[in-house]
Amino acid sequence: MSRANEDEKPAAEPDRRVGGGSDTRPGASDFIRAKVAEDLRSGRYSGRVVTRFPPEPNGYLHIGHAKSCCLNFGIALENDGVCHLRFDDTNPETEDIKYVESIKEDVRWLGFDWGDNLFFASDYFEKLYEYAVILIERGKAYVDSLSEDEIRAYRGTVTRAGKESPFRDRPIEENLRLFERLRAGEFADGEHVLRAKIDMASPNMLMRDPLLYRIRHASHYRRGDDWCLYPLYDFTHCLSDAIENITHSLCTLEFENNRELYDWVLDNVGIARPRPEQTEFARLDIDYTVLSKRKLIRLVEQGHVSGWDDPRLPTLAGLRRRGVPPEAIGAFCDMIGVDKVNSRVDIAKLEYAIRNDLNQRAPRVLCVLRPLKVVITNYPEGRVEQLDAPYWPHDVPKQGSRQLPFGREIFIERDDFMEDPPRKFFRLAPGREVRLRHAYVIKCDDVIKDSATGEVMELRCTFDPDTLRGLPEGRKVKGTIHWVSAAHALPCEVRLYDRLFRVPDPEDVADGEDFTAHLNPDSLVVLEDALIEAGVAVDPPGNRYQFERQGYFISDPVDSNPGSLVYNRTVTLRDTWAKIAARDGR
RNA sequence: UGGCCCGUCGUCUAAUGGCAGGACGCUGGACUUUGGAUCCAGAAAUGGUGGUUCGAGUCCACCCGGGCCAACCA
């Protein structure tokens, strides 16, 4: 094909996936999708694709869960399949309905729809019990009456084989009777357990007669006191998958060793083929944050953050309150791909996904974070002009503008003035000119300081009436700064959020320290005296903006109201000047 | 130290025996009333040693490095 011909063609339909998805083979952009595509091709599951997202309702979802959620729902969507939302709720002591509700909210927020496919492992307790009975009848499971400590001791170590329990060869009839009595509540917690009879010498520790059921006299948040006998993960998960006719059961790498047991259970209770298959992928890790439930709980409980929705947390509730759009999280998940290598993703990649999304989504407004008063001495006292100011820059294809009042007294950003500016500082300084965004060019004539402290209190400037909005043609002014009218601007609180930790790997700690030692003391800076253009007052809480030259912000969905405006910084803009300043200051 | 899994630019990944490519980040430039966005250019990788092969990131062996497993959690 000739080059000219190519040039005339309309651009090809762009790949729906972002970033890393440079792979154009149909139906496959990672090893799991390749496997699904192969199963479809071979007809293994007769064309069915059924995945599941299986959180345990014992905590809040975080961005690591979002990766799994995007994978499971994404694969279903791409293949005309379905993805179930299943709560893996077999531990009555840690689970709660409030987590079920928050997880559902978060999954919906991410944009996924499970339709009618909402399931609970706890609904399968009866069925699971029947499967356990089958295992006992087949001589594949037994009631063990060793204590917890004894079981541990009998298990051996990774380099030494275990020892068989003296109860291992209990007759099937006795096992059956005992198991019934376990269910009936005749025993105390820990008195007996049900174990699979596999191999106490297996090199895979999980195959050394794994526990299937344990006694817990505890109320379950959904089943109440129906049960005092609760199935454990390795027994529950694979059978729940089988009950729901899952085809592809995707989980994280730390379950690799569990796969042998997953298959063993399905084979030995007699699940027909084709049956669900477990495939493992690497969990998400991001630098400068933590993504383990245990550590997140500590941050919340010890008060290092304000709660589960603290905007510094990588929880979905936190990201939402931070102003991160769910679409940005989806784009991020597409960018990072899916593989089996343990990895830690550069947080800059997340920030890129957020900026890239918000650039198209967030209208531009002016907000001065740290105000410095400017009096324009040649501007008539009492005069106010309404300047038309587009909400969108020239390269965002959206319409809309507002009127910005301009007067003799304005506020500019303190950082935009320097008495003794370094090289390449393009903003205001004594004797220098800058352009005011959407307005005029001003020149700094005088600096008024506090005689006692030397602090700059006010600038006296003059404006050039011929310079409105970029005029005249060809007039080159190096810098443009944002501003607000002193007479019109509204006071607001601005919360500047930054990364929660100072180091890329907070878990890498010296002896005697823990990850909280690396907390960034400046992860939240609250500015009480910011000033914002008045038009935003009518916007509902949760509205997102770009504060020009500062970053993307959201009006806090919880604390902001028309009488008391509060904005959270989602992410800064890319800041070339900060880079130059940091480098030169080194 | 038994078993399982994994090593590709700084980071995340593609290449399924045939030109090591993309993304983020970084560097330089263009453009710009946002030091934003956009555009252009650049630097940057197959852990090591052998072997099989016309040809190896890919297959084999050994070595090195990393992860997971000894909860009645998931």
Side-chain angles (χ1 to χ4, degrees), chain A residues 5-33:
Chain A
N5 201 356
E6 275 178 26
D7 286 346
E8 286 161 14
K9 265 174 49 183
E13 190 68 18
D15 194 359
R16 207 177 53 75
R17 330 202 113 261
V18 186
S22 57
D23 191 327
T24 53
R25 282 170 301 142
S29 55
D30 57 64
F31 78 102
I32 294 179
R33 278 178 241 256

PDB file of all heavy atoms in Angstrom, chain A residues 5-33:
ATOM      1  N   ASN A   5      -1.803   6.726  -0.027  1.00  0.00           N
ATOM      2  CA  ASN A   5      -3.046   6.044   0.251  1.00  0.00           C
ATOM      3  C   ASN A   5      -3.301   5.946   1.756  1.00  0.00           C
ATOM      4  O   ASN A   5      -4.396   6.205   2.238  1.00  0.00           O
ATOM      5  CB  ASN A   5      -2.984   4.645  -0.378  1.00  0.00           C
ATOM      6  CG  ASN A   5      -4.376   4.072  -0.572  1.00  0.00           C
ATOM      7  OD1 ASN A   5      -5.354   4.701  -0.164  1.00  0.00           O
ATOM      8  ND2 ASN A   5      -4.473   2.925  -1.200  1.00  0.00           N
ATOM      9  N   GLU A   6      -2.252   5.590   2.483  1.00  0.00           N
ATOM     10  CA  GLU A   6      -2.386   5.489   3.939  1.00  0.00           C
ATOM     11  C   GLU A   6      -2.798   6.819   4.545  1.00  0.00           C
ATOM     12  O   GLU A   6      -3.621   6.894   5.435  1.00  0.00           O
ATOM     13  CB  GLU A   6      -1.058   5.072   4.561  1.00  0.00           C
ATOM     14  CG  GLU A   6      -0.838   3.575   4.568  1.00  0.00           C
ATOM     15  CD  GLU A   6       0.512   3.232   5.146  1.00  0.00           C
ATOM     16  OE1 GLU A   6       1.047   4.005   5.947  1.00  0.00           O
ATOM     17  OE2 GLU A   6       1.035   2.195   4.763  1.00  0.00           O
ATOM     18  N   ASP A   7      -2.182   7.883   4.017  1.00  0.00           N
ATOM     19  CA  ASP A   7      -2.442   9.197   4.588  1.00  0.00           C
ATOM     20  C   ASP A   7      -3.888   9.621   4.406  1.00  0.00           C
ATOM     21  O   ASP A   7      -4.443  10.348   5.232  1.00  0.00           O
ATOM     22  CB  ASP A   7      -1.532  10.246   3.945  1.00  0.00           C
ATOM     23  CG  ASP A   7      -0.108  10.108   4.453  1.00  0.00           C
ATOM     24  OD1 ASP A   7       0.089   9.398   5.469  1.00  0.00           O
ATOM     25  OD2 ASP A   7       0.787  10.660   3.839  1.00  0.00           O
ATOM     26  N   GLU A   8      -4.500   9.184   3.308  1.00  0.00           N
ATOM     27  CA  GLU A   8      -5.871   9.584   3.046  1.00  0.00           C
ATOM     28  C   GLU A   8      -6.884   8.811   3.876  1.00  0.00           C
ATOM     29  O   GLU A   8      -7.999   9.241   4.084  1.00  0.00           O
ATOM     30  CB  GLU A   8      -6.196   9.373   1.554  1.00  0.00           C
ATOM     31  CG  GLU A   8      -5.542  10.432   0.676  1.00  0.00           C
ATOM     32  CD  GLU A   8      -5.471   9.986  -0.763  1.00  0.00           C
ATOM     33  OE1 GLU A   8      -6.142   9.006  -1.107  1.00  0.00           O
ATOM     34  OE2 GLU A   8      -4.724  10.615  -1.528  1.00  0.00           O
ATOM     35  N   LYS A   9      -6.477   7.680   4.318  1.00  0.00           N
ATOM     36  CA  LYS A   9      -7.414   6.852   5.079  1.00  0.00           C
ATOM     37  C   LYS A   9      -7.728   7.509   6.410  1.00  0.00           C
ATOM     38  O   LYS A   9      -6.860   8.090   7.052  1.00  0.00           O
ATOM     39  CB  LYS A   9      -6.777   5.483   5.353  1.00  0.00           C
ATOM     40  CG  LYS A   9      -7.168   4.428   4.338  1.00  0.00           C
ATOM     41  CD  LYS A   9      -6.407   3.142   4.555  1.00  0.00           C
ATOM     42  CE  LYS A   9      -6.414   2.660   5.998  1.00  0.00           C
ATOM     43  NZ  LYS A   9      -5.618   1.466   6.184  1.00  0.00           N
ATOM     44  N   PRO A  10      -8.966   7.402   6.823  1.00  0.00           N
ATOM     45  CA  PRO A  10      -9.245   7.861   8.183  1.00  0.00           C
ATOM     46  C   PRO A  10      -8.466   7.006   9.172  1.00  0.00           C
ATOM     47  O   PRO A  10      -8.136   5.850   8.857  1.00  0.00           O
ATOM     48  CB  PRO A  10     -10.763   7.640   8.320  1.00  0.00           C
ATOM     49  CG  PRO A  10     -11.137   6.658   7.261  1.00  0.00           C
ATOM     50  CD  PRO A  10     -10.129   6.808   6.159  1.00  0.00           C
ATOM     51  N   ALA A  11      -8.191   7.588  10.308  1.00  0.00           N
ATOM     52  CA  ALA A  11      -7.417   6.847  11.304  1.00  0.00           C
ATOM     53  C   ALA A  11      -8.132   5.552  11.669  1.00  0.00           C
ATOM     54  O   ALA A  11      -9.361   5.502  11.747  1.00  0.00           O
ATOM     55  CB  ALA A  11      -7.238   7.708  12.554  1.00  0.00           C
ATOM     56  N   ALA A  12      -7.354   4.535  11.868  1.00  0.00           N
ATOM     57  CA  ALA A  12      -7.930   3.249  12.257  1.00  0.00           C
ATOM     58  C   ALA A  12      -8.609   3.387  13.605  1.00  0.00           C
ATOM     59  O   ALA A  12      -8.256   4.232  14.419  1.00  0.00           O
ATOM     60  CB  ALA A  12      -6.849   2.187  12.328  1.00  0.00           C
ATOM     61  N   GLU A  13      -9.621   2.564  13.803  1.00  0.00           N
ATOM     62  CA  GLU A  13     -10.287   2.522  15.104  1.00  0.00           C
ATOM     63  C   GLU A  13      -9.225   2.281  16.174  1.00  0.00           C
ATOM     64  O   GLU A  13      -8.503   1.292  16.124  1.00  0.00           O
ATOM     65  CB  GLU A  13     -11.298   1.371  15.098  1.00  0.00           C
ATOM     66  CG  GLU A  13     -12.235   1.353  16.283  1.00  0.00           C
ATOM     67  CD  GLU A  13     -13.199   2.528  16.282  1.00  0.00           C
ATOM     68  OE1 GLU A  13     -13.393   3.169  15.226  1.00  0.00           O
ATOM     69  OE2 GLU A  13     -13.722   2.825  17.350  1.00  0.00           O
ATOM     70  N   PRO A  14      -9.100   3.202  17.118  1.00  0.00           N
ATOM     71  CA  PRO A  14      -8.035   2.997  18.104  1.00  0.00           C
ATOM     72  C   PRO A  14      -8.340   1.817  19.018  1.00  0.00           C
ATOM     73  O   PRO A  14      -9.504   1.491  19.252  1.00  0.00           O
ATOM     74  CB  PRO A  14      -8.050   4.315  18.889  1.00  0.00           C
ATOM     75  CG  PRO A  14      -9.403   4.890  18.669  1.00  0.00           C
ATOM     76  CD  PRO A  14      -9.881   4.402  17.331  1.00  0.00           C
ATOM     77  N   ASP A  15      -7.285   1.210  19.489  1.00  0.00           N
ATOM     78  CA  ASP A  15      -7.414   0.107  20.432  1.00  0.00           C
ATOM     79  C   ASP A  15      -8.177   0.611  21.649  1.00  0.00           C
ATOM     80  O   ASP A  15      -7.903   1.673  22.181  1.00  0.00           O
ATOM     81  CB  ASP A  15      -6.013  -0.359  20.855  1.00  0.00           C
ATOM     82  CG  ASP A  15      -6.058  -1.695  21.561  1.00  0.00           C
ATOM     83  OD1 ASP A  15      -7.171  -2.235  21.723  1.00  0.00           O
ATOM     84  OD2 ASP A  15      -4.990  -2.191  21.913  1.00  0.00           O
ATOM     85  N   ARG A  16      -9.174  -0.162  22.071  1.00  0.00           N
ATOM     86  CA  ARG A  16      -9.984   0.269  23.202  1.00  0.00           C
ATOM     87  C   ARG A  16      -9.179   0.338  24.505  1.00  0.00           C
ATOM     88  O   ARG A  16      -9.464   1.104  25.399  1.00  0.00           O
ATOM     89  CB  ARG A  16     -11.155  -0.693  23.370  1.00  0.00           C
ATOM     90  CG  ARG A  16     -12.385  -0.079  24.011  1.00  0.00           C
ATOM     91  CD  ARG A  16     -13.503  -1.074  24.078  1.00  0.00           C
ATOM     92  NE  ARG A  16     -13.097  -2.308  24.712  1.00  0.00           N
ATOM     93  CZ  ARG A  16     -12.916  -2.431  26.031  1.00  0.00           C
ATOM     94  NH1 ARG A  16     -13.102  -1.426  26.820  1.00  0.00           N
ATOM     95  NH2 ARG A  16     -12.535  -3.589  26.550  1.00  0.00           N
ATOM     96  N   ARG A  17      -8.177  -0.508  24.594  1.00  0.00           N
ATOM     97  CA  ARG A  17      -7.374  -0.490  25.819  1.00  0.00           C
ATOM     98  C   ARG A  17      -6.339   0.627  25.735  1.00  0.00           C
ATOM     99  O   ARG A  17      -5.945   1.037  24.666  1.00  0.00           O
ATOM    100  CB  ARG A  17      -6.599  -1.794  26.022  1.00  0.00           C
ATOM    101  CG  ARG A  17      -7.278  -2.980  25.442  1.00  0.00           C
ATOM    102  CD  ARG A  17      -6.768  -4.223  26.115  1.00  0.00           C
ATOM    103  NE  ARG A  17      -7.872  -4.740  26.859  1.00  0.00           N
ATOM    104  CZ  ARG A  17      -8.073  -4.581  28.132  1.00  0.00           C
ATOM    105  NH1 ARG A  17      -7.193  -3.981  28.875  1.00  0.00           N
ATOM    106  NH2 ARG A  17      -9.142  -5.043  28.712  1.00  0.00           N
ATOM    107  N   VAL A  18      -5.926   1.073  26.879  1.00  0.00           N
ATOM    108  CA  VAL A  18      -4.984   2.176  26.948  1.00  0.00           C
ATOM    109  C   VAL A  18      -3.600   1.603  27.215  1.00  0.00           C
ATOM    110  O   VAL A  18      -3.451   0.509  27.721  1.00  0.00           O
ATOM    111  CB  VAL A  18      -5.376   3.102  28.124  1.00  0.00           C
ATOM    112  CG1 VAL A  18      -4.515   4.333  28.146  1.00  0.00           C
ATOM    113  CG2 VAL A  18      -6.834   3.475  28.007  1.00  0.00           C
ATOM    114  N   GLY A  19      -2.598   2.374  26.861  1.00  0.00           N
ATOM    115  CA  GLY A  19      -1.251   2.084  27.316  1.00  0.00           C
ATOM    116  C   GLY A  19      -0.693   0.757  26.890  1.00  0.00           C
ATOM    117  O   GLY A  19      -0.566   0.490  25.712  1.00  0.00           O
ATOM    118  N   GLY A  20      -0.374  -0.061  27.872  1.00  0.00           N
ATOM    119  CA  GLY A  20       0.343  -1.310  27.645  1.00  0.00           C
ATOM    120  C   GLY A  20      -0.302  -2.242  26.626  1.00  0.00           C
ATOM    121  O   GLY A  20       0.315  -3.190  26.176  1.00  0.00           O
ATOM    122  N   GLY A  21      -1.544  -1.954  26.273  1.00  0.00           N
ATOM    123  CA  GLY A  21      -2.214  -2.864  25.368  1.00  0.00           C
ATOM    124  C   GLY A  21      -1.798  -2.695  23.925  1.00  0.00           C
ATOM    125  O   GLY A  21      -2.614  -2.452  23.044  1.00  0.00           O
ATOM    126  N   SER A  22      -0.529  -2.800  23.661  1.00  0.00           N
ATOM    127  CA  SER A  22      -0.057  -2.646  22.291  1.00  0.00           C
ATOM    128  C   SER A  22      -0.262  -3.936  21.515  1.00  0.00           C
ATOM    129  O   SER A  22      -0.111  -3.985  20.317  1.00  0.00           O
ATOM    130  CB  SER A  22       1.421  -2.276  22.285  1.00  0.00           C
ATOM    131  OG  SER A  22       2.162  -3.260  22.979  1.00  0.00           O
ATOM    132  N   ASP A  23      -0.613  -4.957  22.234  1.00  0.00           N
ATOM    133  CA  ASP A  23      -0.854  -6.255  21.612  1.00  0.00           C
ATOM    134  C   ASP A  23      -2.184  -6.219  20.870  1.00  0.00           C
ATOM    135  O   ASP A  23      -3.210  -5.863  21.419  1.00  0.00           O
ATOM    136  CB  ASP A  23      -0.907  -7.316  22.722  1.00  0.00           C
ATOM    137  CG  ASP A  23      -0.879  -8.703  22.154  1.00  0.00           C
ATOM    138  OD1 ASP A  23      -1.424  -8.896  21.051  1.00  0.00           O
ATOM    139  OD2 ASP A  23      -0.325  -9.579  22.804  1.00  0.00           O
ATOM    140  N   THR A  24      -2.150  -6.556  19.602  1.00  0.00           N
ATOM    141  CA  THR A  24      -3.369  -6.416  18.818  1.00  0.00           C
ATOM    142  C   THR A  24      -4.021  -7.749  18.482  1.00  0.00           C
ATOM    143  O   THR A  24      -4.991  -7.793  17.753  1.00  0.00           O
ATOM    144  CB  THR A  24      -3.068  -5.682  17.496  1.00  0.00           C
ATOM    145  OG1 THR A  24      -1.995  -6.349  16.846  1.00  0.00           O
ATOM    146  CG2 THR A  24      -2.705  -4.247  17.751  1.00  0.00           C
ATOM    147  N   ARG A  25      -3.483  -8.856  19.000  1.00  0.00           N
ATOM    148  CA  ARG A  25      -4.125 -10.135  18.726  1.00  0.00           C
ATOM    149  C   ARG A  25      -5.539 -10.099  19.288  1.00  0.00           C
ATOM    150  O   ARG A  25      -5.747  -9.653  20.411  1.00  0.00           O
ATOM    151  CB  ARG A  25      -3.352 -11.293  19.359  1.00  0.00           C
ATOM    152  CG  ARG A  25      -2.116 -11.674  18.569  1.00  0.00           C
ATOM    153  CD  ARG A  25      -1.278 -12.646  19.354  1.00  0.00           C
ATOM    154  NE  ARG A  25      -0.884 -12.055  20.626  1.00  0.00           N
ATOM    155  CZ  ARG A  25      -0.809 -12.726  21.757  1.00  0.00           C
ATOM    156  NH1 ARG A  25      -1.132 -13.996  21.804  1.00  0.00           N
ATOM    157  NH2 ARG A  25      -0.432 -12.126  22.856  1.00  0.00           N
ATOM    158  N   PRO A  26      -6.489 -10.572  18.523  1.00  0.00           N
ATOM    159  CA  PRO A  26      -7.875 -10.475  18.984  1.00  0.00           C
ATOM    160  C   PRO A  26      -8.083 -11.279  20.259  1.00  0.00           C
ATOM    161  O   PRO A  26      -7.633 -12.410  20.367  1.00  0.00           O
ATOM    162  CB  PRO A  26      -8.676 -11.057  17.817  1.00  0.00           C
ATOM    163  CG  PRO A  26      -7.697 -11.859  17.025  1.00  0.00           C
ATOM    164  CD  PRO A  26      -6.354 -11.226  17.235  1.00  0.00           C
ATOM    165  N   GLY A  27      -8.751 -10.664  21.215  1.00  0.00           N
ATOM    166  CA  GLY A  27      -9.161 -11.390  22.400  1.00  0.00           C
ATOM    167  C   GLY A  27      -8.066 -11.688  23.404  1.00  0.00           C
ATOM    168  O   GLY A  27      -8.303 -12.365  24.375  1.00  0.00           O
ATOM    169  N   ALA A  28      -6.878 -11.188  23.152  1.00  0.00           N
ATOM    170  CA  ALA A  28      -5.829 -11.518  24.098  1.00  0.00           C
ATOM    171  C   ALA A  28      -4.871 -10.360  24.277  1.00  0.00           C
ATOM    172  O   ALA A  28      -4.276  -9.881  23.337  1.00  0.00           O
ATOM    173  CB  ALA A  28      -5.059 -12.746  23.629  1.00  0.00           C
ATOM    174  N   SER A  29      -4.744  -9.847  25.508  1.00  0.00           N
ATOM    175  CA  SER A  29      -3.737  -8.832  25.739  1.00  0.00           C
ATOM    176  C   SER A  29      -2.970  -9.126  27.013  1.00  0.00           C
ATOM    177  O   SER A  29      -2.161  -8.358  27.450  1.00  0.00           O
ATOM    178  CB  SER A  29      -4.377  -7.443  25.809  1.00  0.00           C
ATOM    179  OG  SER A  29      -5.389  -7.435  26.792  1.00  0.00           O
ATOM    180  N   ASP A  30      -3.246 -10.250  27.622  1.00  0.00           N
ATOM    181  CA  ASP A  30      -2.438 -10.717  28.739  1.00  0.00           C
ATOM    182  C   ASP A  30      -2.614 -12.233  28.809  1.00  0.00           C
ATOM    183  O   ASP A  30      -3.430 -12.797  28.076  1.00  0.00           O
ATOM    184  CB  ASP A  30      -2.857 -10.046  30.055  1.00  0.00           C
ATOM    185  CG  ASP A  30      -4.323 -10.274  30.380  1.00  0.00           C
ATOM    186  OD1 ASP A  30      -4.701 -11.440  30.591  1.00  0.00           O
ATOM    187  OD2 ASP A  30      -5.089  -9.301  30.415  1.00  0.00           O
ATOM    188  N   PHE A  31      -1.853 -12.880  29.663  1.00  0.00           N
ATOM    189  CA  PHE A  31      -1.859 -14.350  29.624  1.00  0.00           C
ATOM    190  C   PHE A  31      -3.206 -14.945  30.035  1.00  0.00           C
ATOM    191  O   PHE A  31      -3.570 -16.032  29.585  1.00  0.00           O
ATOM    192  CB  PHE A  31      -0.711 -14.922  30.470  1.00  0.00           C
ATOM    193  CG  PHE A  31      -0.969 -14.923  31.954  1.00  0.00           C
ATOM    194  CD1 PHE A  31      -1.333 -16.101  32.595  1.00  0.00           C
ATOM    195  CD2 PHE A  31      -0.852 -13.760  32.690  1.00  0.00           C
ATOM    196  CE1 PHE A  31      -1.572 -16.120  33.965  1.00  0.00           C
ATOM    197  CE2 PHE A  31      -1.092 -13.755  34.055  1.00  0.00           C
ATOM    198  CZ  PHE A  31      -1.448 -14.943  34.692  1.00  0.00           C
ATOM    199  N   ILE A  32      -3.953 -14.212  30.859  1.00  0.00           N
ATOM    200  CA  ILE A  32      -5.260 -14.746  31.274  1.00  0.00           C
ATOM    201  C   ILE A  32      -6.273 -14.616  30.141  1.00  0.00           C
ATOM    202  O   ILE A  32      -7.000 -15.561  29.822  1.00  0.00           O
ATOM    203  CB  ILE A  32      -5.763 -14.044  32.544  1.00  0.00           C
ATOM    204  CG1 ILE A  32      -4.825 -14.397  33.707  1.00  0.00           C
ATOM    205  CG2 ILE A  32      -7.191 -14.474  32.873  1.00  0.00           C
ATOM    206  CD1 ILE A  32      -5.192 -13.757  35.028  1.00  0.00           C
ATOM    207  N   ARG A  33      -6.284 -13.454  29.501  1.00  0.00           N
ATOM    208  CA  ARG A  33      -7.193 -13.280  28.365  1.00  0.00           C
ATOM    209  C   ARG A  33      -6.829 -14.251  27.244  1.00  0.00           C
ATOM    210  O   ARG A  33      -7.708 -14.753  26.536  1.00  0.00           O
ATOM    211  CB  ARG A  33      -7.164 -11.828  27.881  1.00  0.00           C
ATOM    212  CG  ARG A  33      -8.076 -10.926  28.743  1.00  0.00           C
ATOM    213  CD  ARG A  33      -8.043  -9.476  28.323  1.00  0.00           C
ATOM    214  NE  ARG A  33      -7.541  -8.689  29.445  1.00  0.00           N
ATOM    215  CZ  ARG A  33      -8.308  -7.927  30.233  1.00  0.00           C
ATOM    216  NH1 ARG A  33      -9.582  -7.764  29.996  1.00  0.00           N
ATOM    217  NH2 ARG A  33      -7.796  -7.312  31.259  1.00  0.00           N
TER     218      ARG A  33
END
